[in-house]
Amino acid sequence: MAYAEKILPKEGERNILITSALPYVNNVPHLGNIVGSVLSADVFSRYNKARGRQTLYVCGTDEFGTATETKALEEGVTPRELCDKYNKIHADIYDWFEIGFDIFGRTSTPQQTDITQDIFRHLYKNGFTIERASRQPYCEKHKAFLADRYIEGTCPKCGYDDARGDQCDQCGSVDYEPLDLKNARCKIDPDVTPVVRDTKHIHILLDKLQPSIEEWVEQSSTDGAWSRNGRIITQSWLKQGLNDRGITRDLKWGTPLPLDVFSDEKDREVYKDKVFYVWFDACIGYVSITANYTDEWEKWWRDPKNVQLYQFMGKDNVPFHTVIFPGTQIGTGQDWTMLHHLSTTEYLNYENGKFSKSRGIGVFGNNAKDTGVPADVWRYYLLQSRPEVGDTQFEWKYFIDRNNSELLAKLGNFVNRVVKLVNSKIYNSTIPDYAKMHSDPMFSAAKEEINILLKQYIEDLEAVNLRAGLQGAMQIAQAGNTFLQSNRFDNKLAANEPEKAAAVTGIAINIIYLCASIFEPYLPATSRSILEQLQAPFMNIPERWTADDIKPGHQIGKAKYLFTLIDPQKEEEWRDLYGGTQAERQKKEEEAAKAMAKKLANKTKKAEKKAKKPEQTNVEASATQGAEPTDVGKEPVDAVTDGVQQVTLPTS
């Protein structure tokens, strides 16, 4: 559902602004990242658009900070070159998953600098900043202060021996200073122990802002019905008491400070080579990316009366969105659109282990495409496994089962069975005149059941219960199957009871039309295929279904199979292929490539040696020389059960 014109809020209407946590630019997103933020936000965005609301979905890569500098150093490129590379990698992966951003931008833009500096000026002017002298780690070998991510050591909270200076991946702690790490070492050169030197930085006075933040949290978390884990994490931060936090760093790659706020030349000299700490300006990226989308960005971000902000993220990003960024907005004294609903997820684990970007463990966005399984199947499985109230597991066995026993057997079976019958000689692809028995009491219970399910679906989506909403959509598809079975929908019904058959066909076609709407937020490609088969335009999700949107006499298109059967044997193949770390996989691929190169080299030598011999007239030898076995995928095989075609994917 692309929009030619810029999407802007309408006064007096419900306008929905949606963000998903900005993925950090220095790595490839794994499935846990995708379902926790961008995919979940996409479902909610598509749903609201299908309800006819002005809805804007904003995301982009978070590009500034130490991690980018570190990765660029590792790859031997500039930070800008690194960001250009990974922004495209992210965009390509999300495009394959059909994530329908209205803009997928980036934070390294002039708009980011302008808006961040303006926010800082207001904080500075309003007395919510303070200068602090501090002692910072300094690497004498590299002649530079070490930003938090350049320092590694033992976590002071849990004892994890591979914690970073800004966060411990083991216990999630972020409320310690880099120098609190035990056995601290330089990330660039682990043999170097940092020394301590004096420096100055600007801090934001979160302690001064805490009463206002607490008042806002109480109101917003109640009105917006935040996710439970989001409320718990936020309250934990507030209960501990907020302290002032540094918002500047000794880096080159970042948003520069506006030196015009400093009246003293000495201060301007001190801060001219510093930038804003990435956690301070990352959330401002939502605003600046919107400003890259439209010059009228303030209509979205400065109109709390008409705009509701929904934000999607994993639980590790919560404090930045519920404490620090709202505190920053409050501190400016300006009228900001602030967080309404917070949707946070727990962790999606991989085969009883954890996904890890840094260690390359699990299935990553590009791997999903490589399997040859369509994006909609991935979307379905990930959303059915969305970790809404606790951690969930990605398991290949259940991935295959969801496709075969749910998508194929329920939704695919239902749609194919009805469309094929309408395509048959009985109706010649024309919807029969179902008016005579359409209102017959014998169909009332089935219609009412679907409307009850539709009502629950809408309630779930409005509350951002995305997994329940998907289950509700599948229940409607299954209700369609039950409707066919209870009315013995087949050729005999059309021959013996034509008026009843026409009514059953008309109602069934309209259930399919409803499915195209309610599944669109979850399975956009499947929805398009259904609409193509029905030769009908997209229908916004109705408040109540009347079972007559597609009228008698309407011509439909040809039946197509929505899903294919996945061979259960693929489970072990994929588990082996995507087991271990990315580094181990790369090593396997390199070894396989070397083996193939060696095989080809030997083959070439044999061919050259053979070419030097006198020519032979042996017909059989001529016919077979140089022939290679061809791997041919299995052809689609029609299954007689329920009129569903089942296709086995090639196993190699």
Side-chain angles (χ1 to χ4, degrees), residues 150-174:
Y150 281 114
I151 302 172
E152 295 177 336
T154 303
C155 176
K157 304 284 186 178
C158 71
Y160 179 56
D161 61 4
D162 200 19
R164 300 192 307 268
D166 64 338
Q167 184 172 342
C168 175
D169 287 337
Q170 181 73 21
C171 67
S173 294
V174 296

Side-chain angles (χ1 to χ4, degrees), residues 505-535:
T505 301
I507 293 170
I509 279 289
N510 276 286
I511 297 173
I512 292 172
Y513 196 25
L514 177 65
C515 283
S517 298
I518 60 174
F519 275 103
E520 198 279 339
Y522 297 97
L523 312 175
T526 301
S527 174
R528 287 195 303 274
S529 179
I530 293 173
L531 294 174
E532 183 182 344
Q533 293 176 58
L534 295 181
Q535 290 291 292

